[in-house]
Amino acid sequence: GLGMDDSVEVTEWQNELLGCGSDPATCCYAWLCPCFAVGEVYTNAGLGHCCIGFMLFWCCRECHPCCVTARVRKKYNISGSCCGDCLAWYFCQPCQLTRELREVREVRDERGY
């Protein structure tokens, strides 16, 4: 895959793609303020400053699966593929963004950041 560490167990997403109903506030945030939501994902995943995530989304949202989702999966050893990331993003962008946001928030909370 993307150079995942073989010594670390590969996991699945903790949140379902269509699990928006279990967290309506985050879902609404992803639907109504996607630039800010991507910025938060970018920062909480330790990928860089939130402004970079914001600008990546604003300027080139089509690249999100490759620029952000793949890096989140790599960082948290989540199984998947570029093709799967792209399909999820293109067919239900707010659902995928909600899943990513919930994932990075949960990891942040578990680690006490």
Side-chain angles (χ1 to χ4, degrees):
L2 288 163
M4 288 187 207
D5 185 352
D6 291 334
S7 65
V8 177
E9 181 182 344
V10 176
T11 62
E12 297 297 323
W13 290 99
Q14 294 179 38
N15 299 281
E16 295 294 324
L17 180 61
L18 301 176
C20 295
S22 63
D23 188 352
T26 301
C27 184
C28 287
Y29 182 49
W31 274 89
L32 301 174
C33 305
C35 291
F36 294 106
V38 171
E40 185 178 337
V41 168
Y42 207 79
T43 299
N44 286 342
L47 303 176
H49 194 276
C50 64
C51 291
I52 295 170
F54 181 98
M55 292 305 295
L56 282 171
F57 182 84
W58 185 259
C59 296
C60 192
R61 76 183 69 202
E62 295 81 14
C63 296
H64 180 89
C66 300
C67 296
V68 180
T69 307
R71 293 177 68 193
V72 169
R73 281 192 309 94
K74 179 181 177 187
K75 179 149 185 132
Y76 299 131
N77 292 309
I78 299 170
S79 67
S81 67
C82 183
C83 181
D85 294 343
C86 288
L87 288 172
W89 185 255
Y90 296 126
F91 287 106
C92 194
Q93 171 189 318
C95 297
Q96 177 61 25
L97 184 51
T98 298
R99 176 163 69 173
E100 292 173 21
L101 191 54
R102 292 180 68 199
E103 196 81 21
V104 298
R105 285 176 175 175
E106 289 171 10
V107 170
R108 177 200 61 200
D109 293 346
E110 287 170 7
R111 296 181 182 173
Y113 298 147

